[in-house]
Amino acid sequence: MSATRVLVVDDEAPIVELVRGYLVSEGMDVAVAHDGPSAVQAVRERRPDLIILDVMLPGIDGFEVLRQIRRFSDAYVIMLTARAEEIDRIIGLSVGADDYLVKPFSPRELVARVKALLRRPRTGRDGSEGELLASGELVIDRPRRTVTLRREPITLTTMEFDLLSTLAEDAGVVFSRQRLLDRVWGMDYVGDEHVVDVHIGNLRRKLGDDAARPEFVETVRGAGYRFVAGDRGR
């Protein structure tokens, strides 16, 4: 099997070399980029499995890099930020990041996050790959990992697709944040559980789903989220 391809993007050379060393020691094929434009080009050329992406970069910042690469790549993305404000985290996740770490961080923790993401199956849980899930005009094609709404394709990130698919598979069942983390992010995920809220918000935006009058994903106050089955409200 070929080695896992990782791209490390940061303009601080000591951090890049430290992270690179830890990942190489785990048997990963690691490339580096030091600014925004070269990061986008490296993703196009190398097609990494996972990207470690700093927010503050020369040229274009990490958020813009992420927006651009999400047009052609579904690689897992861990964002690094030196600013602990919640807005940085929310903005980063809303454009397609899968996880984040605030500097300074432990390289061992970063490696653990990388491994946790890479252990996630990309094609759904065993026994579920052959299913089509439908609710009204929303169709989730699990074998092809595509979603259409009113016959129009909806572009979702890997996490967004898995989150929607997990909820739709057990329509009507309430999932707590922790249960969704276990099912979608993996049992060994160690980040903030509110990452679920951000991905749900982004998923709703792409589906045109109103949280106050949901067609698809409903918030159950104090409990979590559930998929609204059928054509309720129509």
Side-chain angles (χ1 to χ4, degrees), residues 9-222:
V9 186
D10 200 308
D11 63 336
E12 298 182 59
I15 291 179
V16 170
E17 289 308 310
L18 179 65
V19 171
R20 182 180 180 278
Y22 271 82
L23 295 176
V24 168
S25 70
E26 296 289 338
M28 299 181 190
D29 177 9
V30 182
V32 302
H34 299 287
D35 59 63
S38 64
V40 175
Q41 185 64 25
V43 175
R44 287 188 184 277
E45 293 177 352
R46 296 185 59 86
R47 303 182 66 83
D49 301 298
L50 184 142
I51 303 163
I52 298 169
L53 178 62
D54 189 35
V55 169
M56 302 300 293
L57 293 170
I60 54 176
D61 67 22
F63 297 137
E64 181 58 28
V65 170
L66 188 49
R67 289 187 186 95
Q68 291 188 24
I69 66 175
R70 275 296 177 241
R71 298 170 187 165
F72 59 88
S73 172
D74 68 347
Y76 295 123
V77 175
I78 300 176
M79 296 203 79
L80 306 178
T81 176
R83 297 175 294 179
E85 292 88 345
E86 190 67 20
I87 188 62
D88 277 348
R89 303 176 185 185
I90 291 173
I91 292 174
L93 293 167
S94 71
V95 294
D98 299 298
D99 202 355
Y100 62 82
L101 276 175
V102 177
K103 294 178 178 180
F105 57 85
S106 161
R108 288 186 177 86
E109 181 181 1
L110 177 60
V111 171
R113 300 279 188 98
V114 168
K115 288 181 174 180
L117 284 175
L118 292 172
R119 276 195 291 268
R120 293 184 61 255
R122 287 182 178 268
T123 56
R125 299 195 309 279
D126 291 343
S128 67
E129 293 87 343
E131 297 178 8
L132 274 178
L133 301 174
S135 178
E137 295 182 282
L138 178 70
V139 178
I140 304 166
D141 186 332
R142 293 175 119 179
R144 295 178 176 83
R145 294 186 65 81
T146 60
V147 174
T148 57
L149 178 59
R150 302 178 186 94
R151 299 185 180 181
E152 293 294 325
I154 305 296
T155 302
L156 302 180
T157 67
T158 299
M159 286 292 193
E160 290 162 0
F161 180 90
D162 291 344
L163 185 59
L164 179 62
S165 179
T166 296
L167 289 167
E169 180 185 14
D170 293 313
V173 174
V174 177
F175 284 79
S176 67
R177 290 191 189 98
Q178 187 58 56
R179 188 177 176 193
L180 286 170
L181 286 174
D182 292 344
R183 291 276 291 270
V184 178
W185 277 260
M187 297 290 288
D188 50 1
Y189 178 74
V190 293
D192 187 343
E193 70 173 14
H194 290 283
V195 68
V196 174
D197 303 334
V198 177
H199 280 78
I200 289 287
N202 204 36
L203 183 59
R204 281 173 168 157
R205 179 181 60 79
K206 291 184 177 182
L207 295 175
D209 202 19
D210 184 355
R213 296 175 57 85
E215 286 187 59
F216 306 114
V217 181
E218 179 181 18
T219 300
V220 181
R221 182 169 295 181

